[in-house]
């Protein structure tokens, strides 16, 4: 019997779970450890201490292995995309781990867009020129922290560093490299961007999907969005995964021989055969957290049964700036229609509708995706929000019965490489 320990690196915790050869979770064999988002070098949220994160991951893995009754065949990782970490010649961190929430590179992204053909870059890499991606963030680092940029021997993603510290080899997957914005869809680092950044490709990690380590072979991490689709069974153009966790995204995964991104959408490689295409929102579960912190009450119970726009408010849910489809990092949210009659509940209703309309903008760019499956804690725990999204989309949104879609997806991808075939992902009862 093949067994895989799947590790999911989210933006608040590391979760480890054990799966069998059919992709079924071994009940009770799991562990979760939390880490702290810091204000790091930038003084803003959106960064993590790399070594703290490694320690938390080690604890989660060791606890899960203790609960297992025998060794595992492999360790698979799912990780948040777009993280960036600079390492010195000894392999030690020179910076904090920055995430897509770090918007310091907005000016750099705009400068790149003026000097380069943005549509051509998007066409080659699947990534727009936006501060979420590495080109703008590396340009900002070169300009504003030149000593750090010069001293950096390697620029890596967060899970690459985890892999090196826990399995002994520094390596990245095609999935993680593709989401940096520096990799062409044909698997080569983009020469024009490297020239513009004055960056030698030897300062980037080796790309390989082969497992490393001896005791428990570790696979290089796959992106969490791709894993969520695979884990929830959304692996065709016709079935999209709608994930609302910290942020939000609507994505499809499919096989293709000719990857061509569409305007407004990202297109990353999952592996040599498959791509993940879709749109990402900067406001998701983090918006719900903001509502709870800001309002005297943030209760969504029963909102799906109340009249749409009965509150008279329009909530532009761009508190974190825009990613898909306009990719404008400078825009910000707003509320129109406030009066002395507006209640906290009205703001909550308008905010959830606002996210739903943002999802609908992405859905219009994925017309083949007639079937939508909800994943991510924010939707799975809030059926009213899921119903509001379904009403705005004008199509049913089915709830995934997979508790941790990204973790299961990493396990399924590892099982494929181990010669096993997982069973279909279950859906919740209507």
């Amino acid at each position: 019997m093949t067994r895989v320990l799947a590790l999911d690196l989210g933006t608040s915790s590391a979760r480890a779970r054990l799966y069998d050869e059919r992709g079924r979770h071994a009940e009770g064999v799991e562990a979760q450890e939390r880490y702290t988002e810091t204000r790091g070098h930038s003084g803003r949220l959106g960064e993590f201490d790399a070594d703290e994160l490694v320690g938390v991951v080690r604890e989660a893995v060791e606890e899960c292995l203790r609960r297992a009754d025998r060794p595992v065949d492999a360790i698979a990782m799912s990780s948040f995309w777009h993280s960036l970490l600079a390492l010195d010649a000894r392999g030690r961190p020179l910076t904090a781990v920055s995430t897509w929430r770090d918007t310091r590179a907005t000016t750099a992204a705009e400068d790149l867009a003026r000097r380069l053909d943005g549509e051509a870059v998007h066409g080659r890499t699947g990534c727009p020129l936006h501060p979420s991606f590495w080109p703008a963030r590396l340009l900002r680092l070169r300009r504003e922290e030149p000593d750090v940029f010069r001293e950096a021997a390697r620029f890596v993603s967060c899970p690459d560093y985890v892999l090196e510290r826990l399995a002994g080899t520094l390596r990245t997957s095609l999935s993680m490299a593709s989401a940096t914005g520096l990799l062409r869809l044909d698997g080569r680092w983009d020469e024009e961007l490297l020239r513009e950044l004055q960056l030698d490709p030897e300062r980037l990690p080796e790309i390989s999907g082969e497992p490393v380590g001896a005791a428990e072979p570790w696979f290089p991490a796959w992106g969490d969005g791709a894993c969520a689709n695979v884990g929830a069974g959304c692996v065709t153009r016709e079935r999209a995964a709608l994930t609302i966790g910290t942020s939000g995204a609507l994505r499809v995964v499919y096989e293709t021989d000719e990857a061509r991104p569409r305007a407004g959408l990202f297109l990353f490689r999952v592996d040599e055969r498959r791509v993940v295409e879709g749109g990402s929102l900067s406001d998701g579960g983090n918006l719900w957290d903001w509502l709870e912190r800001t309002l005297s009450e943030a209760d969504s119970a029963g909102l799906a049964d109340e009249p749409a726009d009965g509150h008279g408010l329009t909530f532009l849910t761009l508190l974190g700036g825009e990613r898909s489809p306009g990719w404008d990092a400078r825009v910000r949210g707003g509320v129109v229609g406030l009066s002395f009659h507006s209640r906290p509940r009205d703001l909550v209703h308008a905010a959830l509708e606002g996210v739903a309309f943002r999802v609908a903008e992405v859905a219009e760019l994925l017309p083949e995706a007639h079937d939508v499956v909800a994943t991510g804690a924010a939707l799975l725990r809030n059926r009213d929000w899921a119903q509001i999204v379904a009403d705005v989309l004008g199509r049913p949104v089915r709830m995934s019965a997979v508790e941790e879609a990204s973790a299961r997806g990493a396990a399924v991808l590892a099982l494929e490489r181990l010669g096993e075939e997982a069973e279909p992902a279950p859906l919740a009862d209507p």
Side-chain angles (χ1 to χ4, degrees):
M1 178 184 293
T2 302
R3 304 198 312 170
V4 172
L5 187 154
L7 176 67
D8 180 30
L9 277 65
T11 52
S12 60
S13 68
R15 296 177 291 275
R17 293 163 67 90
L18 186 66
Y19 292 87
D20 68 13
E21 74 280 0
R22 299 301 308 281
R24 297 171 298 205
H25 173 227
E27 187 173 352
V29 187
E30 57 189 302
Q32 180 173 8
E33 299 289 340
R34 296 192 175 276
Y35 36 81
T36 306
E37 187 177 25
T38 71
R39 296 187 181 273
H41 294 249
S42 70
R44 304 181 185 184
L45 287 171
E47 296 186 333
F48 298 95
D49 180 273
D51 288 319
E52 178 195 358
L53 196 147
V54 168
V56 166
V57 169
R58 180 184 286 111
E59 290 176 10
V61 170
E62 290 178 350
E63 176 61 25
C64 197
L65 289 173
R66 279 195 294 270
R67 296 182 181 186
D69 57 3
R70 60 185 178 84
V72 301
D73 296 282
I75 296 176
M77 279 197 290
S78 160
S79 174
F80 52 90
W81 266 317
H82 322 310
S83 60
L84 176 62
L85 174 66
L87 303 178
D88 66 16
R90 298 175 302 156
R92 304 305 303 160
L94 290 169
T95 64
V97 176
S98 72
T99 71
W100 62 266
R101 291 183 65 183
D102 180 3
T103 58
R104 289 175 293 167
T106 298
T107 298
E110 293 167 346
D111 289 347
L112 286 173
R114 281 191 288 269
R115 295 205 300 272
L116 304 176
D117 183 337
E119 289 187 10
V121 171
H122 182 226
R124 295 194 309 267
T125 67
C127 302
L129 292 171
H130 185 272
S132 294
F133 302 107
W134 280 21
R137 286 154 71 186
L138 288 170
L139 179 60
R140 184 212 66 80
L141 188 68
R142 198 191 82 201
R143 288 174 170 176
E144 298 179 13
E145 300 179 61
D147 292 342
V148 173
F149 187 85
R150 281 194 300 270
E151 188 180 350
R154 293 274 185 170
F155 296 102
V156 302
S157 295
C158 171
D160 307 339
Y161 183 66
V162 171
L163 187 74
E164 191 276 331
R165 299 296 292 167
L166 299 184
T169 301
L170 183 61
R171 182 176 289 176
T172 198
S173 70
L174 185 59
S175 172
M176 295 305 298
S178 182
T180 65
L182 271 180
L183 193 77
R184 294 167 56 104
L185 287 165
D186 61 12
R188 296 177 292 159
W189 296 112
D190 190 84
E191 292 181 357
E192 181 184 38
L193 290 171
L194 294 181
R195 283 196 304 270
E196 188 68 29
L197 298 172
Q198 300 174 25
L199 181 64
D200 192 307
E202 279 68 37
R203 300 171 76 188
L204 300 171
E206 175 191 357
I207 301 172
S208 173
E210 293 301 312
V212 302
E216 297 95 13
W218 288 63
F219 282 94
W222 290 277
D224 57 357
C227 288
N229 274 63
V230 173
C234 300
V235 290
T236 67
R237 292 177 184 267
E238 293 73 34
R239 175 176 285 187
L242 170 60
T243 301
I244 297 186
T246 300
S247 57
L250 184 71
R251 304 170 304 268
V252 291
V253 165
Y254 55 90
E255 292 190 23
T256 182
D257 294 326
E258 198 169 342
R260 292 182 178 177
R262 289 183 275 194
L265 302 177
F266 61 73
L267 186 71
F268 310 146
R269 281 283 174 189
V270 179
D271 50 30
E272 292 78 6
R273 295 186 296 113
R274 290 168 288 201
V275 296
V276 53
E277 181 183 29
S280 50
L281 314 180
S282 296
D283 293 15
N286 53 4
L287 175 62
W288 180 260
D289 291 341
W290 179 85
L291 291 168
E292 289 189 313
R293 293 195 311 270
T294 306
L295 302 178
S296 60
E297 59 181 85
D299 181 13
S300 63
L303 284 180
D305 298 323
E306 295 184 7
D309 198 31
H311 42 71
L313 302 178
T314 298
F315 198 133
L316 188 61
T317 52
L318 293 167
L319 278 67
E322 184 186 24
R323 290 194 281 170
S324 305
W327 299 96
D328 187 345
R330 292 197 182 275
V331 299
R332 287 296 179 265
V335 183
V336 177
L338 282 171
S339 74
F340 289 120
H341 299 291
S342 300
R343 305 168 298 164
R345 185 173 176 82
D346 298 330
L347 278 168
V348 172
H349 197 174
L352 301 191
E353 288 177 344
V355 172
F357 279 105
R358 300 287 299 158
V359 172
E361 284 189 84
V362 176
E364 288 179 358
L365 302 177
L366 293 169
E368 307 92 343
H370 304 298
D371 192 10
V372 178
V373 175
T375 70
L379 280 186
L380 297 183
R381 296 172 186 169
N382 192 330
R383 296 301 180 97
D384 281 277
W385 198 355
Q387 185 58 56
I388 288 170
V389 174
D391 291 342
V392 170
L393 291 178
R395 71 190 78 171
V397 173
R398 299 197 287 173
M399 310 300 286
S400 173
V402 176
E403 290 183 6
E404 298 284 350
S406 292
R408 182 179 187 270
V412 170
L413 288 168
L415 287 167
E416 286 181 359
R417 284 150 182 78
L418 295 172
E420 303 287 358
E421 183 177 353
E423 64 186 24
L427 295 171
D429 294 332

